[in-house]
Structure formats: structure tokens, C-alpha cells
Amino acid sequence: MSDHKLLGIAGSLRKGSYNRMLLREAARIFDPAEFVEADLRLPLFDQDLEDAAGIPPAVQRLADQIAAADAVVIAGPEYNKSITGVLKNALDWVSRTGGAPWADKPVAIVSATGGRAGGERTQFALRLCLVPFRPRVLAGPEVLVGLAPDQFDAAGRLTNAINLEALEALMQALKAEISR
């Protein structure tokens, strides 16, 4: 039986994404929880589309998932020193829905990249993008998985002890934040 509802948001659409693997590792470590992985295959934000047809159902579903979750984990790669367009598009769309789904929501941010830094800039940029929504973004510990192709085994399990320890500590902090 799950104790909490955990929503995972991967800022990469690729099925074999290292951030998707990291997100699933976070959920495994967070357990017990009812884990739902968001689908960011959304139309590009377009005011004309919203004016003509309202909030797209997929966007409303995402906003409802955020609102219903006890906590959210966002895993995103670094594209050109910032967050992915897919993730920014989702944030922009959700900002158009009612009810302030992000307000006071505990949020943990993690990242995995092919480079050495592990996504420091994407985490910084994502924190800035979340400010207007007023979630409770955890300050750390930071989970920055650099050289990601070498950090997961064939089953998608994180193998680097330092990264695994940081992820375990972050998930414990997220559980504590839910109870706050």
C-alpha cells in the first residue's frame, strides 16, 4: 500500500532517456508511493489555440496530476545550458490552468547529462522558472549525474555510489518536506 502520491516529470521525451532512468530510480528509492510519470507530449503553447479550444485535455491532466501529488520529482537534461523546450512548454501551459497546482507543492530536482557537470545549469534555470508558481523546491542535496551513459546498469539502476547516496538523501528530504 502506498503512503504518498509521487509525480515524476522527465524533461526528455526519449524512451531511453537517462533522466527518465534517474526519475524511476528516485521513485524506487522514495517507495512506498503511488508513482505516476507525467506525459509531456503536449502541443506547443499557443494563445490562439487556447482562445479557440481552451486548455488542451493533456495539459489539464498534467495540472491535475501536479495538484493531486503529495510531491513532484523533476528530472531534466541540460540543453544549451538550460532546461529543455519540452519542460518549459509544460510549465508555460500549466501556468494557464486554474487552481495554482504548484503552490506549496514539495518539489525535488535531479538531472543527468552526458557531460561532466551533470546539469548544474539546467537545475538553476528550472529553479528560476518555478519561482512564480511558489512550490517548495528542495535546496538539496543536489543530484547531478554527470557522464550519465556510464552511471546506469542495463536494468536502469544507478551504479555510482556517490550519486546513489545523494539521491537517497534527497528522497528522504522530500518525504520529510511532505510531512512539514
Side-chain angles (χ1 to χ4, degrees):
M1 181 168 186
S2 63
D3 292 344
H4 301 291
K5 291 182 182 177
L6 181 66
L7 177 65
I9 298 176
S12 175
L13 297 177
R14 187 171 66 89
K15 187 188 316 182
S17 160
Y18 297 111
N19 282 280
R20 191 168 308 285
M21 288 182 205
L22 184 57
L23 187 64
R24 291 176 181 161
E25 275 290 87
R28 180 186 66 77
I29 291 167
F30 187 92
D31 200 45
E34 176 187 329
F35 177 65
V36 174
E37 195 171 322
D39 181 2
L40 298 191
R41 292 184 188 279
L42 308 172
L44 290 176
F45 175 75
D46 179 345
Q47 182 70 51
D48 292 338
L49 176 63
E50 182 183 356
D51 289 346
I55 300 294
V59 172
Q60 189 60 57
R61 183 177 326 107
L62 176 59
D64 293 345
Q65 288 172 330
I66 295 166
D70 293 310
V72 179
V73 178
I74 304 174
E78 187 171 302
Y79 285 8
N80 300 311
K81 307 203 183 299
S82 192
I83 65 173
T84 64
V86 167
L87 186 51
K88 181 66 167 87
N89 184 59
L91 294 173
D92 290 343
W93 263 122
V94 170
S95 75
R96 308 294 293 180
T97 65
W102 288 109
D104 207 36
K105 186 73 55 182
V107 175
I109 298 172
V110 298
S111 56
T113 64
R116 290 175 294 138
E120 289 174 325
R121 288 184 176 130
T122 197
Q123 287 198 22
F124 179 75
L126 180 55
R127 288 173 193 284
L128 289 176
C129 289
L130 289 170
V131 165
F133 310 131
R134 298 184 334 268
R136 296 191 329 254
V137 180
L138 275 64
E142 291 180 311
V143 177
L144 303 159
V145 180
L147 306 173
D150 301 325
Q151 306 305 316
F152 295 90
D153 66 17
R157 298 285 298 267
L158 196 55
T159 58
N160 180 294
I162 293 170
N163 291 328
L164 191 55
E165 187 176 303
L167 185 59
E168 288 169 349
L170 182 62
M171 291 303 97
Q172 287 303 315
L174 188 59
K175 282 184 182 180
E177 191 65 24
I178 290 170
S179 302
R180 190 175 75 82

